[in-house]
Amino acid sequence: MCCGAPRSFLQVFRESPLSDPITVTAHTSWFSRLGSAFRGVVIGIVIAVSALGLMFWNEGRTVDAFRTNDEGSASVIPTTAGRMDPANEGRLIHLTAPAHGEGIRQDTALGISSDALILARKVEYFQWHETRKSESRSKLGGGEETVTTYSYDRQWSDFAQDSSGFHQPAGHMNPTPTIKNAEFRADRGKIGDFTIDNAVLSRITADQPLSLSPQQIEAAATALSRRVLPTEGGLYIGENPAEPKVGDVRVSYQIMPQGTTLSVVGAQILDTLQSYPTKSGSPILLLRTGTASADQMFAQAQATNKTMAWVFRGIGFIMVIVGLKMLLGPLGVIGDVIPLLGSVVRMGTGFVATVVGLALGTITIAVAWLFYR
């Protein structure tokens, strides 16, 4: 095992900046800013109207999901140890039992295999990152000066950076990654007496780390034709984990083991579990890792529905306010002929946009709530 401080998969390792920051100053005339502001009016209207439509749709989605879960909770039938009862054909059932998948999961790119239900490859890259910071200030007469500073450093991250889009790619080029995150799932399996396919298996995630054996590390090196070293929680593709270079990669694996207990609510169709059609229109197929009663699963579904409702409402409110600010944007640019006046105008338009946006969003939610109920 190589030396070096252990790091979790999501932990980011940073070095000191390896190149001097680059500063770029741009000047925009008042007429150019005013033209952009008026073009923003059209965009603002589109954003605000789209947001109100999203909020109206969200209330319908929320009501539909509530009715679906309420209907399912009232009609679900429990089973014993996942046993199939022909009398339940076509009905909504609940079962808890160990799950087993067919075949072996293979990551052929690295030569790693496992008989788990799911084998998930997680990848981190050591690469150049660009950080951009901009500051704008209004000038007398309505013009604007924007100072943008670009800085570059090398760090570990779990997504690949495309350096071709950097302000200064020269000297900061990242190689195109040949290894990316991937999941390898069983196509079919069994839970109790029932056959399960991708419709069920796609709803579970790998959550247990896989310890790699020396043979698996050697297999990865052979598959990649590169130097591969064992590290805490996975493998290192590079020369020296203590002195990483741009292009080095860390890989770890997580699995969902065979025999993992799953709780499922779905329709019994012959010997399979499928989505259950409801009177409200939305199908029911719930899955949870571990032992959970039907009541617990539907309670969780209702809680998730409420959370999603407020997430969409929050997004809608923000979009409406942003759209209204863009709609009123030209007023701030006009006021920038005298910089202090422009700041005061923008504070006022921001307040108006916030108040009006909250009012419009609230009215939309209320109307939609009554409409769908």
Side-chain angles (χ1 to χ4, degrees):
M1 183 71 66
C2 292
C3 299
R7 305 180 180 95
S8 65
F9 174 72
L10 293 177
Q11 181 180 5
V12 176
F13 170 85
R14 291 180 176 270
E15 292 187 347
S16 299
L18 299 179
S19 60
D20 293 332
I22 300 169
T23 300
V24 178
T25 302
H27 299 274
T28 307
S29 69
W30 181 77
F31 286 105
S32 179
R33 293 183 61 211
L34 190 60
S36 297
F38 277 111
R39 287 191 293 272
V41 169
V42 177
I43 298 174
I45 293 173
V46 173
I47 291 176
V49 172
S50 299
L52 294 176
L54 172 68
M55 298 173 83
F56 197 94
W57 165 84
N58 177 54
E59 295 308 305
R61 182 208 61 80
T62 302
V63 171
D64 179 70
F66 176 83
R67 290 173 176 168
T68 295
N69 291 323
D70 196 41
E71 177 183 341
S73 179
S75 58
V76 66
I77 300 172
T79 65
T80 303
R83 294 176 182 172
M84 182 174 59
D85 184 349
N88 292 333
E89 177 66 20
R91 304 179 71 179
L92 184 66
I93 64 171
H94 165 266
L95 69 150
T96 298
H100 299 273
E102 298 178 355
I104 301 294
R105 262 41 70 200
Q106 293 186 333
D107 181 359
T108 56
L110 274 72
I112 306 296
S113 62
S114 172
D115 67 347
L117 285 164
I118 305 172
L119 174 67
R121 180 211 298 159
K122 306 294 183 181
V123 184
E124 290 177 288
Y125 312 93
F126 191 72
Q127 56 194 338
W128 284 104
H129 280 243
E130 178 184 77
T131 302
R132 180 174 63 181
K133 182 180 179 181
S134 295
E135 294 183 358
S136 299
R137 52 180 176 268
S138 299
K139 311 291 288 185
L140 187 64
E144 184 177 68
E145 181 182 79
T146 302
V147 179
T148 303
T149 302
Y150 301 89
S151 58
Y152 299 88
D153 65 353
R154 299 181 303 175
Q155 59 181 260
W156 286 105
S157 66
D158 56 356
F159 62 94
Q161 290 280 334
D162 182 4
S163 56
S164 64
F166 288 172
H167 177 76
Q168 184 173 321
H172 309 115
M173 294 299 295
N174 292 322
T176 301
T178 57
I179 305 172
K180 299 180 180 180
N181 292 346
E183 282 192 342
F184 311 92
R185 296 173 174 269
D187 294 326
R188 292 175 62 84
K190 297 281 290 186
I191 177 169
D193 293 341
F194 295 90
T195 299
I196 51 177
D197 58 14
N198 190 59
V200 174
L201 293 169
S202 63
R203 295 169 180 260
I204 58 177
T205 57
D207 58 0
Q208 296 189 26
L210 173 65
S211 297
L212 300 179
S213 66
Q215 292 76 17
Q216 289 174 311
I217 300 294
E218 184 177 351
T222 301
L224 295 171
S225 299
R226 289 187 60 181
R227 181 178 175 83
V228 176
L229 301 171
T231 60
E232 188 72 24
L235 53 86
Y236 188 94
I237 304 171
E239 293 298 322
N240 185 358
E243 298 180 1
K245 297 180 179 179
V246 171
D248 287 0
V249 177
R250 292 196 302 229
V251 180
S252 61
Y253 287 91
Q254 291 182 311
I255 60 171
M256 174 68 73
Q258 294 278 9
T260 297
T261 297
L262 301 179
S263 297
V264 185
V265 172
Q268 176 180 314
I269 307 297
L270 299 178
D271 65 341
T272 67
L273 293 172
Q274 300 181 21
S275 296
Y276 177 79
T278 63
K279 295 177 182 178
S280 59
S282 297
I284 295 176
L285 181 59
L286 305 179
L287 187 143
R288 181 169 166 178
T289 304
T291 300
S293 67
D295 288 342
Q296 290 174 323
M297 296 180 71
F298 278 108
Q300 183 183 44
Q302 293 288 31
T304 300
N305 181 40
K306 291 179 182 179
T307 300
M308 291 303 299
W310 282 106
V311 168
F312 279 116
R313 287 167 184 163
I315 293 173
F317 277 119
I318 292 172
M319 289 177 61
V320 171
I321 293 170
V322 169
L324 292 177
K325 284 184 177 180
M326 295 179 70
L327 181 63
L328 300 173
L331 298 177
V333 177
I334 293 172
D336 273 340
V337 173
I338 303 175
L340 181 59
L341 177 61
S343 298
V344 173
V345 171
R346 264 188 290 274
M347 289 179 60
T349 56
F351 176 77
V352 171
T354 300
V355 172
V356 175
L358 292 175
L360 286 176
T362 302
I363 292 171
T364 300
I365 291 174
V367 171
W369 192 93
L370 293 173
F371 176 83
Y372 286 110
R373 285 171 173 77

